[in-house]
Amino acid sequence: MPPKSETSTSFITKCRTSELYENRLLIQARRIYVVEGRYPKKCMQNELVDAGVDLPQPKYKKKEIEQIFFETFGAYFRRVAEERQQHRVERLQTTNHKFDYIIVIDFECTCKPAAKNLDLDSFEIIEFPVVLIDVNQRCIVDDYFHRYIKPVRNQVTAFCTKLTGITPQQIANHGVSLQSALLEFQNWLTAKGITDMRYAYAVDGQSDFGHFLQTSLKLNGLPFLHDFRRYIDVKHTFQQLGYSKKIVKLKRMLRTLDMRFEGQLHCGLDDTRNIAKVVLRMLHDGYSLDYTHKLVPQDMPTMNPELVCLDSKKVFYNRWMESSTLRPIVLTKTDLSKGRAEWCDICRNFLCKQNFSVALA
């Protein structure tokens, strides 16, 4: 709670006639203390009353309360934001990054309305977009990888087209097999020298590698590629670094960072670019990113299984967890410090470097 010593009616009048409320530091503080939910409307009203602020109207909209709240406690929030900015500068000067590149992927799949998505094999990859982030330069590489994938079992329905913007004609004219796309993807990484660098995959949630990729490889008769066994879950990292109190979706992450979603939602390439924006912002804030999850065999005992935050998805998620060959587990700080992220539980090998062309032959 802001100290009462940093509020006054004269300060309120001063803020209303100055640019303090629009100050970037105050906008940052507003994100920290309101957008993340640490100051709900009722809490802000109570604190304003305790500070002696007169609220003549019986009811206020939340945005109106937020403005009065920040005008009242503006000096406090400015000081907090300045402290956080200083911490950010210190982190940028001292952070040693574990990876040279972060490879952001967000698959789009065949799909049906939620009530009909009872078949776990109905999600088959039809779009394979990749955006590359240079960690040391803290920038998104201009070149990107993008392929449409021909499904072998499922069809691109009208519902799927409406959601993703992908039409059956696009798949027929420009689609390639999943095997070809994966081999082209590895060649693309090799041509850029990424395979000789330290890199990590980043995804938005557990579905991309844990469900969509596993299902598509199985339907194509292909083995799971061990290179995808560990990854950074951007949602998980976003919460762990304190940007939000709980796991949130992509648009909420962007809104929390005072950014907007650019492009069409559920267009794979647009989603991937916006996920990359979130990752880039965390790097600019001085954070070093590390693996958050790895995939292990279904029968492997573990003390830290991945948990579902959305109750409505628990039933489907549990069915997926039980039917998949591999399941995700959360990597703890102890796991990372002891190098367990490097250990491949699939082939029981340390620093597994499985070659795509050999595995997919």
Side-chain angles (χ1 to χ4, degrees), residues 191-215:
K192 291 186 169 299
I194 306 301
T195 51
D196 297 326
M197 301 286 190
R198 301 172 301 167
Y199 66 89
Y201 295 106
V203 292
D204 184 31
Q206 300 304 307
S207 299
D208 290 276
F209 289 174
H211 184 192
F212 302 153
L213 184 59
Q214 282 197 72
T215 298

Side-chain angles (χ1 to χ4, degrees), residues 110 126 151 154-158 160-161 164 166-168 171:
T110 54
I126 55 175
N154 300 279
Q155 301 295 322
V156 178
T157 62
C160 183
T161 298
T164 65
I166 301 172
T167 64
I171 298 298

Side-chain angles (χ1 to χ4, degrees), residues 212-229:
F212 302 153
L213 184 59
Q214 282 197 72
T215 298
S216 298
L217 288 169
K218 180 183 72 173
L219 293 176
N220 281 268
L222 301 172
F224 186 82
L225 301 173
H226 299 190
D227 201 38
F228 296 116
R229 73 187 184 277

Side-chain angles (χ1 to χ4, degrees), residues 253-313:
M253 286 192 282
L254 290 166
R255 190 164 64 247
T256 300
L257 298 174
D258 298 317
M259 294 189 288
R260 293 183 179 181
F261 186 94
E262 297 178 0
Q264 176 187 341
L265 188 63
H266 296 303
C267 166
L269 187 57
D270 289 343
D271 285 354
T272 305
R273 284 169 169 160
N274 283 278
I275 296 167
K277 285 168 53 180
V278 174
V279 174
L280 197 61
R281 176 60 178 271
M282 291 189 282
L283 293 174
H284 276 290
D285 283 348
Y287 291 109
S288 176
L289 307 187
D290 207 339
Y291 296 116
T292 60
H293 293 75
K294 70 184 295 189
L295 295 171
V296 299
Q298 188 67 248
D299 56 356
M300 177 182 171
T302 178
M303 297 300 292
N304 55 336
E306 170 63 10
L307 301 177
V308 177
C309 297
L310 301 176
D311 292 339
S312 61
K313 293 188 177 180

Side-chain angles (χ1 to χ4, degrees), residues 224-230 294-297 300 326 339-354:
F224 186 82
L225 301 173
H226 299 190
D227 201 38
F228 296 116
R229 73 187 184 277
R230 56 196 176 168
K294 70 184 295 189
L295 295 171
V296 299
M300 177 182 171
L326 304 172
R340 291 173 186 163
E342 314 299 332
W343 174 259
C344 180
D345 296 281
I346 305 172
C347 64
R348 311 297 296 173
N349 189 18
F350 190 71
L351 288 174
C352 170
K353 288 287 186 180
Q354 182 196 55

Side-chain angles (χ1 to χ4, degrees), residues 49-63:
V49 171
D50 292 342
V53 178
D54 183 26
L55 300 174
Q57 298 181 26
K59 290 185 178 181
Y60 286 88
K61 294 181 179 179
K62 186 172 181 179
K63 288 186 177 180

